[in-house]
Amino acid sequence: MENGKIKAVGPAATILLELPEGVQVASYPDSMIMPGFVDIHIHFPQITTVACYGEQLLEWLQNYILPAEAEYADKALAQERAAVFLKELLRRGTTTASVYGSIAKESAEALFEVAQRLNLRLLAGKVMMDRNGPEGMKLATPESDYQDSKELIEKWHGKGRLSYVVTPRFAPACSAADLQAASRLLKEYPGVYLQTHICENLHEIAWVRELFPERKSYLDVYDYYGLVGEKTLLGHSLHLDDEDFIRVKETGAVLCPCPPSNFFLGSGLFKFAKAKEYNVRVALGTDLGAGNTFSMVRAMEEAYKMAQLQGYSLSPFEAFYLVTLGGARALSMEDKIGNLEVGKEADFIIMDLKSTPFLEFRMQFTKTLRDKLFVQMMLSDDRAIRETYVYGALVHDREDR
Amino acid sequence: MENGKIKAVGPAATILLELPEGVQVASYPDSMIMPGFVDIHIHFPQITTVACYGEQLLEWLQNYILPAEAEYADKALAQERAAVFLKELLRRGTTTASVYGSIAKESAEALFEVAQRLNLRLLAGKVMMDRNGPEGMKLATPESDYQDSKELIEKWHGKGRLSYVVTPRFAPACSAADLQAASRLLKEYPGVYLQTHICENLHEIAWVRELFPERKSYLDVYDYYGLVGEKTLLGHSLHLDDEDFIRVKETGAVLCPCPPSNFFLGSGLFKFAKAKEYNVRVALGTDLGAGNTFSMVRAMEEAYKMAQLQGYSLSPFEAFYLVTLGGARALSMEDKIGNLEVGKEADFIIMDLKSTPFLEFRMQFTKTLRDKLFVQMMLSDDRAIRETYVYGALVHDREDR
């Protein structure tokens, strides 16, 4: 590595012979070096409400999540929590994520500040939401959503490794005017991303139909307002139909299933086979705090189980692809991150293949790379993430607590 | 505790005043004491094949599992593996399990020997199987299954805390004569248990219909041969219909869903609401090696998700009940284990509520017991099992590796 980038890649024997003098060498037996993981969908302000009991999407939001998100208008609190949040991501080997803040711009501000200190390639945005909150919730207006997002874009987008994501929460929480504000931001700042939720839960879908009776589908709501394009991250996308898949393909938008969340809220199953049939981009998210984990390894495990329930075998190669190069492609960042090619940014992890007594036992019986990866994907946890490097610097060492 | 049993229970303040001199006192801040977990369904010889990729039940069995089970006829190997297996259970707080061996009687023999040394309340049986193995597999005969099981029963059943479970693998692997042999064992030894698999996978069910065209259902196959009663543990039981539920209630048999396995093999979802409606006994299993975990905490987590997918909320009280007192009742052992009453056997765990940095953070935001238990159930792993006690003796300490 040099200046945060990968300088050379190859078998140790070759690389070692070519090293200039004075280069520091590290050796990791029983380990695998791999690109840092990409979490395509995660909610920062939900770190205090992970694992809230007993509800499905809409009630869960109203009863637990939206009330708890209010406190992030406190900048000092948001900064403290952002440090906890990003540390937990790094502990699990996630080096890039597309993050939802709260409605308060301070939430995104705090994330960007901490991410900048860590030199993280991070995407984040404050949530836009001007209606249908629980009683007592302070909502934004289309004007304040526009203005706050604009300020954040101008201050942070493209600064170092940071990107801004325009973040309308979802159609039920955004009036037509609010969606228009989002659209205006995308037009005025062509480099920014858009993330939102779609077709997660059947009641949510029915509600969208009531709220936008003139639109032919949930996807069409976003599409009509000009929010669906190559930089659009469509969270969940569980209940899309064939017409939706065709339109997703045409627009180049990205589908972002989050298996831990989709199971936790009982939302449904992502159609992996359909996504492959229509050849659309897919990446995985944890969707913490509906997802009960920060770990993309757990997200892969649950993606496998979700696919199995539909008779589809998600191979470990496909799964690890989805959380590395697939994630990078979903973000149109495959020229910068996603694998270990020369010239790419040095975001990577050292995965210890024998991180628990049982993994040490089980790994004896694996022969192929496929089986080694699959065993890690189904049995390992954060203890397997021995070290995490971001832009060439060590940012997490398992031995430090 | 005294002589392996619970001598007194109560708030520390009261108990401490009443203690005779010389009694050793232990204190565990930020922890919860609770009964050891019961795993109602787990396969010992599958420890080397946990997390085999890409198949559903029948192909997974033929390609991976049955070939690997052959080596357990080697007694020394079986003993070594049994020690690994039981250690992993204790590490996760499981103190009682109903265990499938392999077809070789040595597998059950090894389990009983190691369990006896640990003083574990364990149930185990050698698998009975006289047909439909993969090419090259050495099958049993009804005679050898009968004879081997009988020897094991006479040697081990009721010895200390051990029980024998007659273990026909499942109807497709057992001829009518083999099922009759199982039935004969139950009649000759009224105290023993029976465990088998039922209605796990739709192809399996169709196969049973072909193999036993004269029986009206899969359950009726076992019922006809006299294998369904109060000591019968019906593994999985995912696709039972109403008639089956009625018969299960009449016979007093136990349903044993194994969510980690049912997801891993894509087998289906257990009908929690129906089981409650018919008021039948239910307990949870991991079903390792189709289940990709030894942990009953993970089994609870996945049971919650499985229930959510059906719009049923599995409360943490219900979940922890299923893996403690519910498990004990499933085994008709509620007079001996399952909770912390005076006179019961002292099998319990110390659960550290702050076992990871994130749990330490998250627990600050819990108020009720329900929420504390739910957060542990959704976010903790083996690191939360600080200590495991069996019959009053410390058998697992997290700090020792």
Side-chain angles (χ1 to χ4, degrees):
Chain A
M1 297 180 285
E2 198 174 61
N3 301 323
K5 305 235 167 109
I6 296 169
K7 176 88 176 172
V9 176
T14 323
I15 290 277
L16 288 175
L17 288 175
E18 294 166 357
L19 280 185
E21 240 178 290
V23 171
Q24 204 189 324
V25 176
S27 163
Y28 302 97
D30 294 324
S31 297
M32 210 176 263
I33 182 168
M34 60 170 80
F37 300 137
V38 176
D39 186 337
I40 205 72
H41 185 118
I42 185 167
H43 293 261
F44 157 49
Q46 295 175 18
I47 47 169
T48 61
T49 46
V50 184
C52 280
Y53 165 71
E55 303 290 0
Q56 298 214 346
L57 177 65
L58 299 175
E59 297 73 22
W60 172 83
L61 268 174
Q62 296 288 313
N63 299 346
Y64 294 124
I65 301 308
L66 296 172
E69 286 196 11
E71 56 183 352
Y72 291 78
D74 176 340
K75 182 74 183 290
L77 176 141
Q79 282 173 320
E80 196 183 300
R81 297 271 175 84
V84 171
F85 177 78
L86 294 176
K87 197 176 169 65
E88 292 297 329
L89 287 181
L90 296 171
R91 188 195 306 285
R92 284 156 186 90
T94 297
T95 52
T96 288
S98 187
V99 187
Y100 286 68
S102 78
I103 206 167
K105 70 177 172 202
E106 290 79 2
S107 64
E109 185 81 20
L111 276 169
F112 283 128
E113 285 175 15
V114 181
Q116 190 181 40
R117 281 205 296 276
L118 289 161
N119 224 346
L120 275 183
R121 185 160 283 290
L122 196 84
L123 304 90
K126 82 152 217 97
V127 160
M128 301 173 72
M129 172 168 184
D130 70 342
R131 64 171 174 175
N132 289 324
E135 186 143 335
M137 179 183 176
K138 193 167 168 275
L139 294 166
T141 63
E143 295 68 37
S144 73
D145 270 340
Y146 172 80
Q147 203 54 47
D148 288 349
S149 302
K150 186 183 173 76
E151 276 172 35
L152 288 163
I153 292 169
E154 299 211 330
K155 184 161 178 195
W156 295 105
H157 183 69
K159 187 163 183 184
R161 304 181 77 202
L162 305 174
S163 300
Y164 195 80
V165 202
V166 175
T167 308
R169 185 183 285 280
F170 68 153
C174 301
S175 68
D178 211 28
L179 295 174
Q180 278 159 349
S183 179
R184 201 173 142 200
L185 291 162
L186 294 189
K187 285 200 193 81
E188 290 174 10
Y189 300 95
V192 303
Y193 294 78
L194 182 125
Q195 65 187 352
T196 190
H197 299 84
I198 189 170
C199 292
E200 178 176 1
N201 168 292
L202 298 175
H203 296 290
E204 167 213 17
I205 295 171
W207 194 16
V208 170
R209 203 175 295 127
E210 272 173 42
L211 291 167
F212 296 91
E214 69 285 10
R215 302 273 64 90
K216 68 180 183 206
S217 71
Y218 196 161
L219 181 62
D220 189 46
V221 173
Y222 296 135
D223 206 10
Y224 177 81
Y225 291 100
L227 304 180
V228 184
E230 286 183 6
K231 290 202 157 178
T232 299
L233 309 173
L234 296 170
H236 306 302
S237 301
L238 305 181
H239 306 285
L240 301 183
D241 62 18
D242 285 271
E243 213 170 316
D244 295 328
F245 274 104
I246 290 168
R247 185 63 189 146
V248 167
K249 181 64 187 171
E250 283 169 359
T251 57
V254 178
L255 306 185
C256 309
C258 305
S261 160
N262 307 144
F263 280 147
F264 180 81
L265 293 178
S267 302
L269 310 180
F270 179 74
K271 298 164 181 167
F272 288 98
K274 278 270 183 218
K276 185 165 272 186
E277 180 190 333
Y278 284 98
N279 192 25
V280 297
R281 281 185 298 170
V282 175
L284 290 184
T286 57
D287 189 29
L288 177 122
N292 62 320
T293 180
F294 284 90
S295 163
M296 293 309 296
V297 176
R298 293 291 311 278
M300 285 189 273
E301 178 205 341
E302 302 219 338
Y304 181 80
K305 292 177 171 181
M306 179 176 276
Q308 276 283 68
L309 284 172
Q310 304 170 80
Y312 178 89
S313 292
L314 182 74
S315 86
F317 298 124
E318 188 176 353
F320 276 92
Y321 167 81
L322 287 174
V323 306
T324 56
L325 189 58
R329 286 191 176 141
L331 296 169
S332 310
M333 290 180 176
E334 66 270 29
D335 57 329
K336 300 187 181 66
I337 55 168
N339 58 12
L340 303 178
E341 284 174 358
V342 172
K344 287 207 181 176
E345 297 166 356
D347 289 354
F348 61 89
I349 60 176
I350 309 296
M351 188 179 247
D352 174 358
L353 303 180
K354 300 181 174 176
S355 59
T356 64
F358 185 65
L359 273 165
E360 197 165 344
F361 173 82
R362 178 64 181 87
M363 287 300 283
Q364 298 174 75
F365 304 95
T366 56
K367 291 192 187 95
T368 63
L369 177 61
R370 187 195 73 178
D371 291 348
K372 287 178 204 301
L373 285 170
F374 191 62
V375 163
Q376 294 300 319
M377 164 176 155
M378 300 313 288
L379 297 172
S380 83
D381 56 35
D382 57 287
R383 284 169 283 191
I385 312 300
R386 182 167 163 175
E387 292 180 353
T388 305
Y389 282 80
V390 163
Y391 211 64
L394 180 67
V395 291
H396 166 68
D397 181 341
R398 182 179 65 182
E399 306 307 324
D400 306 333
R401 269 189 60 157
Chain B
M1 296 180 286
E2 199 175 58
N3 301 324
K5 304 234 168 113
I6 296 169
K7 174 89 177 169
V9 176
T14 322
I15 290 277
L16 288 175
L17 289 174
E18 294 167 359
L19 280 184
E21 239 179 289
V23 170
Q24 203 189 323
V25 175
S27 163
Y28 302 97
D30 295 323
S31 297
M32 211 176 261
I33 183 169
M34 60 171 80
F37 300 137
V38 176
D39 186 339
I40 205 72
H41 185 118
I42 185 167
H43 293 261
F44 157 48
Q46 295 175 17
I47 46 169
T48 61
T49 46
V50 184
C52 280
Y53 166 69
E55 304 290 0
Q56 298 214 346
L57 177 65
L58 298 176
E59 297 74 22
W60 172 84
L61 268 175
Q62 294 289 312
N63 298 346
Y64 294 124
I65 301 307
L66 295 173
E69 287 195 9
E71 57 183 352
Y72 290 78
D74 175 340
K75 182 74 182 291
L77 176 141
Q79 282 172 321
E80 195 184 302
R81 295 271 174 84
V84 172
F85 176 78
L86 293 177
K87 196 175 169 65
E88 291 299 327
L89 287 180
L90 295 172
R91 188 195 305 286
R92 285 159 186 88
T94 297
T95 51
T96 288
S98 188
V99 187
Y100 286 68
S102 78
I103 206 168
K105 70 176 172 204
E106 290 80 2
S107 64
E109 184 81 20
L111 277 169
F112 283 127
E113 285 176 15
V114 181
Q116 190 181 40
R117 281 207 294 276
L118 289 161
N119 224 347
L120 276 182
R121 185 161 282 291
L122 196 85
L123 304 90
K126 83 152 217 95
V127 160
M128 301 172 72
M129 173 168 183
D130 70 342
R131 63 172 175 175
N132 288 324
E135 187 146 330
M137 180 182 176
K138 192 167 170 274
L139 293 166
T141 62
E143 295 68 36
S144 72
D145 270 341
Y146 172 80
Q147 202 53 47
D148 288 350
S149 303
K150 186 183 173 76
E151 277 173 33
L152 288 163
I153 292 169
E154 299 211 331
K155 182 159 179 196
W156 295 104
H157 182 69
K159 186 161 183 184
R161 304 180 77 203
L162 305 174
S163 300
Y164 195 81
V165 202
V166 175
T167 307
R169 184 182 285 279
F170 68 153
C174 302
S175 69
D178 211 27
L179 295 174
Q180 278 159 349
S183 179
R184 201 174 142 199
L185 291 162
L186 294 188
K187 286 198 193 82
E188 291 174 9
Y189 300 95
V192 303
Y193 294 78
L194 182 126
Q195 64 187 353
T196 190
H197 299 84
I198 188 169
C199 291
E200 177 175 1
N201 168 293
L202 298 176
H203 296 290
E204 168 213 17
I205 295 171
W207 194 16
V208 170
R209 202 175 296 126
E210 270 173 43
L211 291 168
F212 296 91
E214 70 285 10
R215 302 272 65 88
K216 67 180 184 208
S217 71
Y218 196 161
L219 181 62
D220 189 44
V221 173
Y222 297 135
D223 206 9
Y224 177 80
Y225 291 102
L227 304 180
V228 185
E230 286 183 6
K231 292 202 157 178
T232 299
L233 308 173
L234 296 170
H236 308 301
S237 301
L238 304 181
H239 306 285
L240 300 184
D241 63 19
D242 285 271
E243 212 170 318
D244 295 329
F245 274 103
I246 290 168
R247 185 63 189 145
V248 167
K249 181 65 188 170
E250 283 169 358
T251 56
V254 178
L255 306 185
C256 309
C258 306
S261 160
N262 307 144
F263 280 148
F264 181 81
L265 293 178
S267 302
L269 310 180
F270 179 74
K271 298 164 181 168
F272 288 98
K274 279 270 183 219
K276 185 165 272 185
E277 182 190 332
Y278 284 97
N279 192 25
V280 296
R281 281 185 299 170
V282 176
L284 290 183
T286 57
D287 189 28
L288 178 123
N292 61 321
T293 180
F294 284 90
S295 163
M296 292 310 295
V297 176
R298 292 292 311 280
M300 285 190 273
E301 177 205 342
E302 302 220 337
Y304 181 80
K305 291 177 171 180
M306 179 175 276
Q308 276 284 70
L309 285 172
Q310 303 170 82
Y312 178 90
S313 292
L314 182 75
S315 87
F317 298 124
E318 188 176 351
F320 276 91
Y321 168 80
L322 287 175
V323 306
T324 56
L325 189 58
R329 286 192 175 140
L331 297 169
S332 309
M333 290 179 176
E334 65 270 29
D335 57 328
K336 300 187 182 68
I337 56 169
N339 58 13
L340 303 178
E341 285 174 358
V342 172
K344 286 207 184 179
E345 297 166 355
D347 289 355
F348 62 89
I349 61 175
I350 309 297
M351 188 180 247
D352 174 0
L353 302 180
K354 300 181 174 176
S355 58
T356 65
F358 185 65
L359 273 166
E360 196 165 346
F361 173 82
R362 178 64 182 86
M363 287 300 284
Q364 297 174 77
F365 304 96
T366 57
K367 292 192 186 94
T368 63
L369 177 62
R370 187 195 72 178
D371 292 347
K372 287 178 205 300
L373 286 170
F374 191 61
V375 164
Q376 293 300 320
M377 164 177 154
M378 300 313 288
L379 297 172
S380 83
D381 55 37
D382 56 288
R383 284 169 284 192
I385 312 300
R386 184 168 160 173
E387 292 179 353
T388 305
Y389 282 80
V390 163
Y391 211 64
L394 179 67
V395 291
H396 165 69
D397 181 340
R398 182 179 64 182
E399 307 308 323
D400 306 334
R401 269 191 59 156

